[in-house]
Amino acid sequence: MMSADMKRLNVGTGKFAAGARSSRTRCPLCAEPYTDPRILPCLHTFCLACIQQLEPLSPLAFRGGTDPASSPRDKPQLSVLCPVCDGEVELPPGGARALVTDHLAANEVLLESLQRDGVGLVCDLCNEPSAEKRCNICRANLCEFCCQAHRRQKKTASHAVVGLKDLKSFSRMGKPVQCASHPAEELRLFCETCDRPVCRDCVVGDHREHAYDFTGSIIHKHGDYMRELLKCTQPHVGALEGALHEIEGAGKSVADRLECVKAEIHKFADGYVRAVEEHRGRLLARLEELRLQREHALQLQRAQLGQLLADMRTGVDFTERLLTAGSDIEILMTKGVVVRRLRKLNKADYSVHPCVDSGIRFSPTEKARQCGGYEMFGAIVTKTVDPSKCTLEGEDFHNAREAQISAFTLVCKDASSERMGRGGEQVRVSMVNKDRKDCVIKPTIHDNNDGTYSVSYTPHAPGMYTVGVCIKGQHVQGSPFLLTVKSKFRKHSGVFHCCTFCSSGGQKDARCGCGGSMPGGYQGCGHGHKGHPGHSHWSCCGGPLENSECTAIAADNGHRSLLRTVAL
């Protein structure tokens, strides 16, 4: 009956073809088959010796023990630069030797060595390069002599031994992973407390009171978690590929537009002689400057997104390969570095839109500098906002009321005073009390995406405020300016009317529209203020305007008490 390891050897042969395997069996640094392959935190694999030869980035190259007899290579490094992705990666406290072993790469190197004619494998017992057999139970390669000794031992006499030539078509020849602390024990358990594989001796020692279980019992939980992270990472690959494609299209659009502008410039300049030729040269120099600026910006964004895409692909490919071809123990051993890398990649911030546009045009009617005494027209317009040309509109940027919403509008214009047809500018508005620097108004800025910005604010204290409106760190036209915040609007407490007593000329028996009369003749309308015969007014303050603020003060109460209205 075929064992579980033999069954695993026969699956996925199509995925791990010889051509695909050859690209994963050689170290990118030494170009030789992997020797003790280790995984950096960026998920790139190198030989342990190659990693130890990398120069550390920090001036404090090493930390740890101070034993003068110890080799510098054995001391842990702070960080190194990955030769593949050119990213800075931190080494674990134990240095390069504490990095996770890439068992998938080691397995592929083993298979490649097996498939090469005339190259013998090393016997796992005597270390002689003459292995011919393999024990499926012990998962060990044996030479003929060790194979006979293996069969003579009572414990291993019943083990199934097959020839290595019969295993050339297999896709996997996994070897048992031994515990670093107990080399005689295989890692078959996983400590949930420490999040690492352990052996039987570990769980009775340092991990005695920890929660642990067999790797086969918990692989599904951790594997599903890694698959969820992988599922979140994969969409970023498509987004980055689309962004790079869009950037390529934007570069072509800029180049096409530049060619059109160049043709217009040549056509306009042909009407002049030397003065026009000089003017054309100036225009072309400016156009080349714009081209270099935009190409540099696009190249920088392309390089950044390309590097991020390469990192994403590396993370996705490595995780997919690990989850597909890795054993339970290999997945769990590599889980930590893979999860940390995928988390970091998922937090990467990037823009999928080009950082520049093709907003370049030629204006033949715009006045330019003189060339050789001739008045020149024609200039390259890039439609850039000019803070000195921007204006403020509205009625509420000089006067406002306490606790009332006020607003004004900022109109952005370019150097030619033309209104910008798009938004996206960085507008900053500050409102600070002149006498109390700690008293500020926090405005709300709304981008209307048509070159205008609505600024609304609600003052919470009266006084004089200094208001500054800036774009690109520069004040706009009319900024800074003073804003006067008045106290809250005082509403009328009375009624607005023309009472009968006022209009009657002071008759004693006249009935007021508010239900009262004034005894003693014409002295007022009975509401604490001088009368307005025949005119409408507020009964609380005597104000003749209906839409007005109440001017009644506390002193009026005494006068009002002397003019009592008697109800009929």
Side-chain angles (χ1 to χ4, degrees):
M1 190 172 181
M2 185 177 294
S3 64
D5 291 322
M6 291 297 293
K7 291 180 180 179
R8 187 174 296 163
L9 288 172
N10 288 290
V11 297
T13 55
K15 182 177 180 64
F16 297 96
R21 182 186 298 124
S22 61
S23 62
R24 298 193 297 264
T25 58
R26 295 187 179 274
C27 176
L29 278 177
C30 63
E32 296 294 333
Y34 283 116
T35 302
D36 196 0
R38 301 299 176 98
I39 308 172
L40 290 180
C42 60
L43 302 187
H44 291 116
T45 302
F46 302 91
C47 298
L48 174 60
C50 294
I51 296 176
Q52 291 173 332
Q53 293 175 359
L54 295 176
E55 291 293 333
L57 293 180
S58 173
L60 301 175
F62 306 106
R63 62 185 179 183
T66 57
D67 185 6
S70 61
S71 172
R73 180 178 296 179
D74 296 331
K75 296 181 181 180
Q77 300 178 358
L78 293 177
S79 63
V80 296
L81 199 65
C82 175
V84 175
C85 63
D86 202 32
E88 182 180 359
V89 293
E90 294 184 0
L91 296 179
R97 293 186 178 275
L99 291 171
V100 178
T101 301
D102 191 346
H103 294 280
L104 295 179
N107 176 72
E108 291 168 0
V109 171
L110 184 63
L111 289 175
E112 188 180 72
S113 301
L114 179 62
Q115 293 175 354
R116 288 200 302 264
D117 296 334
V119 179
L121 296 178
V122 176
C123 177
D124 292 330
L125 297 184
C126 65
N127 292 328
E128 291 293 331
S130 58
E132 298 179 358
K133 304 287 184 180
R134 179 177 177 81
C135 177
N136 294 329
I137 306 300
C138 301
R139 289 183 288 181
N141 299 327
L142 306 172
C143 65
E144 185 63 31
F145 178 80
C146 293
C147 180
Q148 294 177 5
H150 194 70
R151 289 173 175 171
R152 285 195 296 266
Q153 294 183 10
K154 184 177 180 179
K155 293 183 179 180
T156 59
S158 61
H159 289 188
V161 178
V162 296
L164 290 177
K165 294 181 179 179
D166 300 331
L167 302 177
K168 288 187 176 183
S169 61
F170 290 170
S171 62
R172 180 167 183 78
M173 290 180 61
K175 300 178 67 174
V177 181
Q178 305 300 126
C179 179
S181 302
H182 310 93
E185 292 292 333
E186 182 180 353
L187 296 175
R188 296 179 179 273
L189 303 170
F190 187 78
C191 178
E192 294 280 6
T193 304
C194 302
D195 196 32
R196 52 174 292 188
V198 294
C199 67
R200 292 183 301 178
D201 290 352
C202 292
V203 298
V204 298
D206 297 338
H207 304 263
R208 181 172 56 256
E209 297 180 357
H210 294 181
Y212 63 90
D213 201 347
F214 286 98
T215 57
S217 301
I218 61 173
I219 183 60
H220 299 290
K221 179 179 71 173
H222 296 279
D224 291 342
Y225 178 62
M226 294 174 65
R227 291 184 183 90
E228 288 298 325
L229 283 177
L230 177 62
K231 188 183 298 183
C232 296
T233 309
Q234 287 172 333
H236 294 295
V237 175
L240 289 170
E241 290 176 344
L244 289 175
H245 180 72
E246 188 174 349
I247 289 176
E248 293 294 335
K252 184 178 182 302
S253 176
V254 171
D256 294 342
R257 188 57 185 163
L258 290 172
E259 290 298 324
C260 294
V261 175
K262 184 176 181 179
E264 292 180 7
I265 293 173
H266 281 294
K267 182 179 180 180
F268 174 77
D270 288 340
Y272 295 86
V273 192
R274 281 179 285 186
V276 176
E277 291 292 337
E278 179 183 354
H279 181 52
R280 180 169 63 181
R282 291 177 179 176
L283 292 174
L284 293 177
R286 172 57 179 161
L287 193 64
E288 179 64 14
E289 180 183 350
L290 292 174
R291 184 184 68 83
L292 293 175
Q293 291 176 355
R294 280 159 172 76
E295 284 185 355
H296 176 72
L298 288 175
Q299 288 176 358
L300 179 60
Q301 187 181 17
R302 185 187 299 112
Q304 292 173 344
L305 292 180
Q307 182 60 59
L308 184 57
L309 176 60
D311 294 342
M312 291 287 185
R313 282 176 172 167
T314 298
V316 170
D317 293 342
F318 185 90
T319 307
E320 286 180 341
R321 184 163 57 93
L322 176 64
L323 294 174
T324 303
S327 65
D328 297 347
I329 188 63
E330 291 168 355
I331 294 176
L332 293 175
M333 287 192 66
T334 319
K335 165 185 170 287
V337 64
V338 173
V339 168
R340 286 191 296 271
R341 181 58 173 172
L342 293 182
R343 284 176 177 170
K344 183 177 181 181
L345 292 176
N346 287 332
K347 293 180 181 179
D349 187 19
Y350 58 87
S351 174
V352 298
H353 302 290
C355 58
V356 298
D357 54 27
S358 57
I360 306 172
R361 63 184 180 87
F362 175 68
S363 176
T365 59
E366 186 170 343
K367 188 176 180 180
R369 292 190 303 168
Q370 288 189 351
C371 292
Y374 290 89
E375 197 74 21
M376 291 288 103
F377 290 87
I380 298 173
V381 180
T382 57
K383 204 66 174 179
T384 303
V385 64
D386 187 351
S388 64
K389 303 294 183 180
C390 300
T391 58
L392 300 173
E393 298 179 354
E395 300 178 355
D396 295 340
F397 61 91
H398 284 300
N399 297 283
R401 284 277 186 179
E402 179 186 2
Q404 288 188 1
I405 299 177
S406 302
F408 60 87
T409 303
L410 169 64
V411 181
C412 293
K413 300 178 181 180
D414 60 7
S416 59
S417 297
E418 292 184 5
R419 180 169 167 174
M420 300 291 292
R422 55 178 175 81
E425 300 294 340
Q426 296 295 327
V427 179
R428 183 174 59 86
V429 180
S430 62
M431 296 181 173
V432 183
N433 193 295
K434 288 189 63 178
D435 301 325
R436 296 170 51 196
K437 299 303 180 182
D438 59 336
C439 182
V440 297
I441 301 175
K442 295 183 179 180
T444 300
I445 305 173
H446 178 69
D447 188 351
N448 299 319
N449 294 319
D450 59 356
T452 64
Y453 299 83
S454 300
V455 181
S456 60
Y457 59 95
T458 303
H460 296 289
M464 296 291 293
Y465 289 80
T466 301
V467 182
V469 182
C470 298
I471 297 180
K472 296 180 178 180
Q474 301 180 21
H475 286 277
V476 301
Q477 188 179 145
S479 174
F481 59 89
L482 291 179
L483 170 67
T484 303
V485 178
K486 299 181 180 179
S487 300
K488 292 182 180 179
F489 187 85
R490 300 181 62 185
K491 296 182 180 180
H492 291 281
S493 59
V495 293
F496 186 75
H497 66 167
C498 180
C499 63
T500 307
F501 185 84
C502 293
S503 59
S504 68
Q507 297 182 11
K508 295 182 179 181
D509 57 350
R511 183 180 296 275
C512 180
C514 61
S517 65
M518 169 58 65
Y522 174 65
Q523 296 180 2
C525 70
H527 297 289
H529 59 83
K530 296 299 182 180
H532 296 272
H535 295 284
S536 299
H537 55 275
W538 284 100
S539 62
C540 51
C541 63
L545 299 178
E546 182 176 7
N547 298 321
S548 62
E549 185 178 4
C550 184
T551 59
I553 57 177
D556 288 344
N557 294 336
H559 175 66
R560 187 176 302 165
S561 63
L562 299 176
L563 302 176
R564 184 182 56 172
T565 299
V566 178
L568 298 179

